[in-house]
Amino acid sequence: MRVGELSEEQLLARIIPRLPAGTDTLLGPGDDAAVIRAADGRFVVSTDVLVEERHFVRAWSTGADVGWRAAMQNLADVAAMGARPTSLVLSLVLPDDVEVDWVLDLTDGLAQACGPHGVGVVGGDLSGGPAIVAAVTVHGDLAGRAPVLRSGARPGDVVVHSGVLGHSAAGLELLRAQGPTAGGGSADEAAFVRAYRRPDPPLTDGPAAAGAGATAMMDVSDGLLKDLGRIARAAGVSIDLRTRDLGPALDELDVVAQACDASALGWVLTGGEDHGLVATFPAGAAYPAGFRRIGVVGPAVGGGGEEGSEEAPDGGPRVTLDGAAAPVGGSGWDHFGSS
């Protein structure tokens, strides 16, 4: 059965029973809007979108994979503020010829991502259109804490990361080279393809970092260089990554990178969509066990900067590797400049 053979209400009648209610949901789907508990008196909100053929290819991912990714990339944004995600809504654009089973599979992927974290999928919208578009808006609870902003990093802080680096980029490279059957060559290859299809961000590490005194934090969605560059500009600082600290991440990727004639360092520095968390802490502070040191924060540097560094257009705040420009092309994903 195709989407075009059902009315909106008939399709929703198949979708809604598959969605998790969430632990903070007071009123779920069925009215004009949902009602979510916000005991803190504030809530965190973020939104993101997945567009077919730009962010995902149906030949490479199941509907459940797309639903999982749509949820996780948003849940990670909330965690990066130091909040616990509580609920999300999904707006879905569907061509008439999409199979209903694919849509229900996407719904199941949302549920698989959200249910274990107590996150409710509490509503949204359906529309017809020329390509599949999944737009998710997520809400989160700060539990009485101040939000952790990008602008809080200070010279002398250490830079730490939780999650994986470069795994999704490696998986994407394998899919480009091998097609839908990618990942069959080794356990590592299978893990990287899975990381692309179903990123698994360390959501609980966000609130843990906030509670431990993180001065700045964000999720790594567009690449480590690009996202740390955003912290550097927001805080008016420079950030220097250390190759020796990135060693474990490079070692994880090395064999597959060589097989793909690619750069493990390039994947670590510019590969996005792992949705790990990068944070800064005062020197000597005890950060949560899930985080690993990868660099240090310094004062902003004047001048035009070096080619390949991630910095403001007029110089100043920037991200370097071992004190110099990173020896990789580009700095990460850009929705309008990347192909």
Side-chain angles (χ1 to χ4, degrees), residues 179-302:
T181 60
S186 69
D188 283 344
E189 288 188 7
F192 296 146
V193 172
R194 186 167 59 250
Y196 168 78
R197 288 173 170 156
R198 296 201 176 201
D200 191 16
L203 300 179
T204 58
D205 283 354
T215 53
M217 185 160 51
M218 67 180 298
D219 89 303
V220 182
S221 56
D222 295 329
L224 191 60
L225 285 181
K226 182 171 287 292
D227 289 328
L228 280 176
R230 289 165 173 153
I231 289 179
R233 289 191 295 276
V237 299
S238 291
I239 293 174
D240 188 39
L241 298 170
R242 304 291 172 84
T243 300
R244 66 175 183 270
D245 294 330
L246 295 172
L250 296 171
D251 290 343
E252 290 172 351
L253 295 164
D254 186 58
V255 171
V256 172
Q258 290 186 47
C260 292
D261 194 24
S263 165
L265 181 63
W267 286 343
V268 165
L269 294 180
T270 68
E273 297 190 327
D274 287 310
H275 300 292
L277 300 176
V278 65
T280 59
F281 280 86
Y287 42 84
F291 286 87
R292 182 169 58 205
R293 176 175 172 145
I294 60 171
V296 294
V297 180
V301 178

Side-chain angles (χ1 to χ4, degrees), residues 75-180:
L75 301 183
D77 282 333
V78 167
M81 299 296 292
R84 177 182 62 85
T86 59
S87 62
L88 63 80
V89 293
L90 169 69
S91 293
L92 194 59
V93 178
L94 297 168
D96 286 348
D97 62 353
V98 174
E99 294 182 353
V100 172
D101 283 346
W102 190 93
V103 180
L104 299 182
D105 199 31
L106 180 146
T107 304
D108 290 343
L110 282 172
Q112 291 159 11
C114 293
H117 297 284
V119 177
V121 183
V122 296
D125 191 28
L126 289 176
S127 178
I132 298 173
V133 178
V136 170
T137 299
V138 64
H139 307 92
D141 178 14
L142 287 164
R145 292 182 298 268
V148 183
L149 309 181
R150 301 177 183 182
S151 56
R154 295 292 178 263
D157 285 356
V158 297
V159 182
V160 297
H161 177 269
S162 178
V164 299
L165 286 166
H167 287 206
S168 181
L172 176 58
E173 187 65 27
L174 288 165
L175 284 162
R176 283 173 170 165
Q178 302 173 14

Side-chain angles (χ1 to χ4, degrees), residues 3-41:
V3 167
E5 299 175 55
L6 296 177
S7 69
E8 180 179 355
E9 287 189 1
Q10 289 172 325
L11 185 54
L12 285 172
R14 288 163 168 78
I15 290 173
I16 290 174
R18 309 170 91 97
L19 299 175
T23 56
D24 291 271
T25 303
L26 300 176
L27 179 67
D31 281 80
D32 287 344
V35 180
I36 309 300
R37 181 183 294 107
D40 181 84

